[in-house]
Amino acid sequence: MIFFIILSNAWCNWFTISPPERKEKIYSIDIPNRSVEIKLQDYETTFDTISAVGWSSTGGSLFLTMDGGKTWNYWTIASMLPFSVKFLDNRQVVLCGYNFLFDDAEVKIFDLSGNQISNFEFDGNNLPYSKNFFDCQITSSNVFFAGYGGSIFKYSLEENVWSSIFVDSNIVFLKLKAFNLSSSQGIFPLGFLLGGRSFQIPTRLYYSNPDFSQWNLLYDFQKEFPGIELSDFWFNSWNFDNNFPEGFVVGTIDDSVVIFRTNASERKFEIAFLQQNIEQPVGIYGLNDGKNLLVVFSNGEILSSSDKGYNWSFENIYYVGKSFTGVNFYNHKSNDLLPEIEWEKFDAIAYGLDGTIAKYTKDFSLGILSGKLPSMQDYNEVEIYDILGRLVFKEKTDDFKFENIKRKLPKGIFFIIKKCNGTYLNAETYRAY
């Protein structure tokens, strides 16, 4: 249990990692590391390997960087317009999209050298016909694909066998996500689908059982909120009594951005935020069980809440460049700095027009484990660690001496631990310029 958490924006901004001089619209990105728990020393390489797909009027492309976006390799994908890419493992990626020559959905698997390993066409002969796949999701043993046709297509990684799971006829599915949800029965995975009767206007959410073999309609927003267009969703827990998630959904109604909060007891969504805004929301994410929430807009602006969505404020952060159309969120944790400290880092990678890919990093956050704090006592000792967790300074001190110490630190990011008679009292991050 965390007693105190710092989430600082002092040096946060969007950092461009786009492949140079590319004109494709980027539709999807992925990294191979999906672990939430990560060793502190491994964080610096977490975002070295990034895959992306995009396309323009001339065709599709697969992009890959192994150094965090400093250099990119890219390969042309003949006749395919890819909409989604996911790492199968550290050696292969799977792409799904539309074959514009044969007017059907297509799935391809590539290695990290750009060599095609497998190809699957949904033309009604080799596999059941489907017009297009917009998104895919990987579990431990399967890959699930969603798009036109009202069904989820499942590919077994162990048996190399395809099957389809009917969901809802005449519905186009645009976004497929999975969450490990907490509940009264423990933690378990559920899948969620965003779709609608048109690929341009998603208005419905669907949910699965834990193995994704059955799907049900969760909510049709159009019935209660005419003119709604959903963008993204984030859920963190599941109410078994009412079969309803706890979390948030973001979208637009006419010229206004709207954020919905779930009301599980009544099985409905309620408006938590509504404001006129010409920019489009492209993603929503929650940290600390939904206490901290962030919404990213097409111009890089960020709307945040620190009280579970009851109050919202815009952060003074923008992206000077092309427009974003989507974003991936990552939240990594570690407790290997010190036994009593939990470390967190939040990152977002947004993508969009003309090859745009940009990375946003939320400041390090530290929390003191409850039960470790003395009551009503001032600190009298300071320990300073560098970004790799190495102790660089330790001394008995007071406020006046400590401010002088901070000014003498070399350029970089440091973890500052304050103690009272040897007991952890407070923690913060500090950037020396």
Side-chain angles (χ1 to χ4, degrees):
M1 179 177 179
I2 299 301
F3 181 86
F4 181 70
I5 287 182
I6 297 172
L7 287 172
S8 170
N9 280 325
W11 59 89
C12 298
N13 216 325
W14 291 102
F15 175 68
T16 298
I17 56 173
S18 306
E21 300 179 357
R22 302 304 301 182
K23 296 301 181 182
E24 295 91 344
K25 177 182 176 181
I26 303 298
Y27 280 88
S28 175
I29 65 102
D30 196 31
I31 64 173
N33 189 339
R34 295 185 177 88
S35 174
V36 175
E37 300 290 334
I38 186 172
K39 290 184 179 297
L40 183 61
Q41 62 268 27
D42 294 338
Y43 176 80
E44 289 301 308
T45 59
T46 298
F47 296 96
D48 279 357
T49 303
I50 304 171
S51 182
V53 292
W55 52 269
S56 64
S57 58
T58 58
S61 297
L62 167 64
F63 300 90
L64 181 71
T65 180
M66 308 293 284
D67 55 14
K70 296 184 180 69
T71 59
W72 288 87
N73 295 318
Y74 59 90
W75 300 273
T76 300
I77 308 173
S79 75
M80 182 185 185
L81 304 180
F83 282 93
S84 184
V85 62
K86 292 291 189 299
F87 276 92
L88 287 176
D89 49 37
N90 292 327
R91 304 180 305 278
Q92 295 180 340
V93 292
V94 59
L95 287 64
C96 66
Y98 171 64
N99 186 311
F100 59 84
L101 290 182
F102 300 102
D103 190 32
D104 58 30
E106 192 167 26
V107 172
K108 293 178 180 289
I109 298 175
F110 289 86
D111 65 20
L112 301 193
S113 297
N115 301 308
Q116 181 174 298
I117 306 300
S118 300
N119 180 66
F120 305 96
E121 289 191 17
F122 290 77
D123 56 6
N125 295 315
N126 299 306
L127 288 165
Y129 178 78
S130 181
K131 186 178 182 66
N132 188 19
F133 291 142
F134 285 107
D135 203 4
C136 62
Q137 183 68 43
I138 297 176
T139 64
S140 59
S141 57
N142 300 298
V143 189
F144 295 87
F145 299 87
Y148 282 96
S151 293
I152 297 291
F153 286 83
K154 182 178 76 171
Y155 178 64
S156 169
L157 295 172
E158 297 175 348
E159 301 174 359
N160 298 325
V161 173
W162 285 92
S163 59
S164 62
I165 305 161
F166 177 75
V167 180
D168 195 346
S169 60
N170 300 318
I171 298 297
V172 182
F173 301 119
L174 299 176
K175 187 172 289 190
L176 173 59
K177 299 173 73 172
F179 301 98
N180 289 319
L181 302 179
S182 60
S183 72
S184 58
Q185 307 298 316
I187 297 176
F188 63 98
L190 280 188
F192 291 85
L193 273 173
L194 175 62
R197 296 195 179 277
S198 165
F199 76 91
Q200 295 175 319
I201 307 176
T203 60
R204 296 183 179 187
L205 276 173
Y206 297 77
Y207 70 99
S208 76
N209 59 347
D211 64 5
F212 292 24
S213 62
Q214 297 177 10
W215 292 81
N216 298 283
L217 177 65
L218 178 69
Y219 210 75
D220 186 351
F221 286 79
Q222 181 66 31
K223 291 183 177 180
E224 189 173 352
F225 306 99
I228 187 70
E229 182 176 344
L230 303 180
S231 300
D232 196 21
F233 52 93
W234 175 85
F235 302 125
N236 66 307
S237 61
W238 185 260
N239 186 311
F240 265 106
D241 293 334
N242 298 288
N243 277 336
F244 213 74
E246 300 281 356
F248 294 82
V249 176
V250 64
T252 57
I253 297 179
D254 298 324
D255 60 351
S256 297
V257 59
V258 58
I259 301 172
F260 298 98
R261 180 193 297 108
T262 59
N263 182 338
S265 61
E266 298 184 20
R267 298 196 84 254
K268 68 177 185 178
F269 288 84
E270 300 172 338
I271 294 178
F273 178 87
L274 179 66
Q275 182 175 307
Q276 188 175 30
N277 196 311
I278 62 172
E279 300 294 336
Q280 296 293 308
V282 297
I284 186 169
Y285 191 79
L287 301 90
N288 307 320
D289 295 324
K291 178 182 179 182
N292 299 94
L293 297 156
L294 298 100
V295 177
V296 174
F297 287 81
S298 54
N299 65 343
E301 192 174 25
I302 292 178
L303 177 66
S304 65
S305 171
S306 59
D307 59 2
K308 296 190 175 183
Y310 289 98
N311 293 281
W312 297 84
S313 61
F314 283 94
E315 301 181 13
N316 189 25
I317 297 171
Y318 302 91
Y319 179 66
V320 181
K322 303 296 182 180
S323 178
F324 295 149
T325 56
V327 60
N328 283 25
F329 298 101
Y330 305 94
N331 179 215
H332 296 293
K333 302 179 181 181
S334 176
N335 61 0
D336 63 346
L337 178 61
L338 290 170
E340 293 84 0
I341 301 297
E342 180 170 288
W343 166 91
E344 287 191 55
K345 195 169 179 65
F346 168 80
D347 296 89
I349 302 181
Y351 48 89
L353 304 180
D354 292 341
T356 294
I357 303 176
K359 185 170 178 286
Y360 168 87
T361 298
K362 195 82 172 176
D363 195 354
F364 286 92
S365 59
L366 294 173
I368 305 296
L369 297 181
S370 63
K372 301 294 183 180
L373 296 177
S375 59
M376 303 301 292
Q377 297 187 63
D378 296 326
Y379 74 93
N380 54 23
E381 183 179 350
V382 166
E383 295 176 359
I384 300 178
Y385 295 80
D386 65 14
I387 195 171
L388 297 179
R390 297 174 298 195
L391 181 66
V392 297
F393 181 87
K394 180 179 180 179
E395 185 177 299
K396 297 284 186 180
T397 186
D398 54 31
D399 268 335
F400 179 77
K401 290 180 181 178
F402 176 53
E403 291 304 315
N404 290 331
I405 292 167
K406 287 203 297 187
R407 283 192 286 269
K408 295 179 181 179
L409 289 172
K411 182 178 179 181
I413 299 173
F414 297 90
F415 303 92
I416 297 173
I417 312 298
K418 296 179 180 178
K419 293 183 176 182
C420 177
N421 299 327
T423 301
Y424 295 102
L425 179 64
N426 194 10
E428 63 185 72
T429 55
Y430 177 73
R431 182 166 189 164
Y433 291 93

